[in-house]
Amino acid sequence: MIPSVSVLLFGITRDLTGQSTVSVPLSEGASVSDLLGQLHQHYPALAGIRSLLVAVNGEYAEPEQILAHHDEIALIPPVSGG
């Protein structure tokens, strides 16, 4: 069985998935980029969001950052306002 990570969703990402948290199966050594690929596969509407940021343990993460199964991961959508 492949372990999974829990991803917190906010704003438009929550609206598009209908959930505030999703569980994503990731193999050992998976990166933020791998995580986004899995999310786009399961939730294609997320691929349309520009400048979607990923936070790992409270800090913005680069696409190549390796994830651990105990990391706190959140998708941060672009903020709109005026």
Side-chain angles (χ1 to χ4, degrees), residues 4-5 26 28-30 56-57 65-73:
S4 60
V5 295
L26 284 181
E28 194 69 32
V56 178
N57 300 323
Q65 181 172 333
I66 301 301
L67 299 171
H69 297 289
H70 61 274
D71 285 338
E72 178 184 76
I73 303 167

Side-chain angles (χ1 to χ4, degrees), residues 26-67:
L26 284 181
S27 56
E28 194 69 32
S31 67
V32 168
S33 182
D34 296 327
L35 170 69
L36 288 173
Q38 286 277 28
L39 286 168
H40 293 162
Q41 196 171 39
H42 293 296
Y43 305 99
L46 291 178
I49 300 175
R50 291 179 164 201
S51 43
L52 181 64
L53 298 174
V54 177
V56 178
N57 300 323
E59 296 190 15
Y60 292 120
E62 296 296 322
E64 64 275 0
Q65 181 172 333
I66 301 301
L67 299 171

